[in-house]
Amino acid sequence: MPFVSIRISGSATKDQKSGIVADVTQSLVQRLGKNPAAVQIVIEEVSTENYGAGGQLLVDRDAPKTTPAQEDANAEPSR
């Protein structure tokens, strides 16, 4: 009985996860001759706040970068 564990950073829709399950199951049937009823798949969604790579959290790494002009536009006016 194949057991597949998939971890993704962030989240996926139900339709996306359904497609992943169907694709992985089909691959195990075609490549290994497994019975599709025996294939078990778990998809774990890991928050980007709880996932680090390259020495930093993904939420920080993937945050939109601001330019100095954008920072000036967002600053509060002086009094």
Side-chain angles (χ1 to χ4, degrees):
M1 174 180 328
F3 181 87
V4 180
S5 178
I6 300 171
R7 288 187 193 165
I8 59 172
S9 63
S11 61
T13 66
K14 181 178 181 271
D15 286 343
Q16 289 170 323
K17 290 183 275 190
S18 179
I20 291 168
V21 169
D23 291 347
V24 170
T25 300
Q26 188 60 32
S27 181
L28 291 170
V29 168
Q30 288 178 342
R31 298 182 185 283
L32 301 177
K34 297 299 180 180
N35 177 349
V39 176
Q40 298 182 35
I41 300 169
V42 172
I43 299 173
E44 181 180 357
E45 296 174 322
V46 180
S47 165
T48 56
E49 291 182 2
N50 297 328
Y51 196 132
Q56 65 185 139
L57 293 173
L58 293 186
V59 69
D60 295 333
R61 185 190 74 186
D62 297 341
K65 306 291 187 247
T66 58
T67 65
Q70 289 172 319
E71 290 175 3
D72 290 343
N74 293 333
E76 291 186 26
S78 303
R79 292 180 189 213

